[in-house]
């Protein structure tokens, strides 16, 4: 673990291509940024954030992409915890955590987000939407 935690209110923002490669990169960038902020790779918080970002970014690519438009990843860490935001260009397609049949191969991503985050939701934007999740930082709070 790093000896120094970043000051409260630190923020990371990155626009990424609306592709599966962009979604994978979002997850990698998120855990790298957490490590820079003093949350080590492989910690419970880092692993939880990796899953949350992977699910939200994949949803942005699969359900929220518009040709020629990127999606945006934003991480904000502060005294209240960590906020993860993934914004895309499709405001008309709002995500829902729904029940799936046993054995279904898809459709459980938001259930994972729901289980790992303290809370999550959707905010409208002028263009598109932002799906957000908040996590407690535990011992890593600045």
């Amino acid at each position: 673990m790093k000896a120094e935690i970043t000051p409260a209110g630190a923020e990371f923002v990155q626009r990424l291509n609306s592709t599966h490669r962009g979604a994978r990169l979002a997850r990698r960038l998120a855990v790298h940024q957490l490590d820079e902020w003093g949350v080590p790779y492989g910690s419970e918080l880092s692993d939880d954030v990796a899953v949350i970002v992977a699910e939200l970014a994949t949803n942005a690519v699969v359900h929220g992409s518009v040709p020629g438009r990127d999606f945006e990843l934003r991480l904000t860490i502060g005294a209240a915890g960590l906020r993860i935001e993934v914004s895309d260009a499709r405001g008309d397609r709002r995500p829902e955590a729904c029940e799936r049949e046993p054995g279904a191969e898809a459709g459980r991503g938001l259930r994972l987000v729901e289980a790992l985050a303290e809370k999550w939701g959707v905010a409208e934007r002028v263009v598109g939407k932002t799906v957000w999740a908040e996590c407690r930082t535990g011992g890593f709070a600045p």
Side-chain angles (χ1 to χ4, degrees):
M1 183 161 116
K2 293 187 178 183
E4 192 173 315
I5 299 293
T6 190
E11 185 173 70
F12 171 83
V13 181
Q14 181 68 51
R15 293 184 81 72
L16 299 145
N17 288 332
S18 289
T19 62
H20 289 290
R21 186 176 187 181
R24 284 191 310 273
L25 182 56
R27 178 182 52 82
R28 288 180 173 211
L29 288 171
V31 296
H32 177 75
Q33 185 60 51
L34 287 180
D35 188 63
E36 289 292 314
W37 284 340
V39 179
Y41 293 108
S43 66
E44 184 176 356
L45 178 58
S46 179
D47 290 349
D48 288 353
V49 169
V51 171
I52 292 169
V53 169
E55 293 301 334
L56 297 184
T58 299
N59 281 352
V61 168
V62 173
H63 304 293
S65 66
V66 171
R69 303 298 290 270
D70 296 336
F71 73 93
E72 181 181 272
L73 169 67
R74 179 180 306 267
L75 305 174
T76 308
I77 193 166
L82 175 71
R83 184 175 173 97
I84 302 158
E85 297 180 356
V86 176
S87 301
D88 65 52
R90 293 287 303 264
D92 60 321
R93 299 186 78 182
R94 298 179 63 87
E96 295 179 27
C98 38
E99 297 299 322
R100 295 291 178 197
E101 295 293 321
E105 293 183 18
R108 292 188 179 84
L110 288 176
R111 291 290 180 201
L112 291 171
V113 172
E114 198 172 67
L116 297 173
E118 286 295 309
K119 56 185 174 179
W120 74 277
V122 182
E124 293 184 27
R125 297 172 40 146
V126 173
V127 174
K129 66 182 172 301
T130 298
V131 184
W132 56 268
E134 294 178 352
C135 300
R136 288 190 185 143
T137 55
F140 301 109

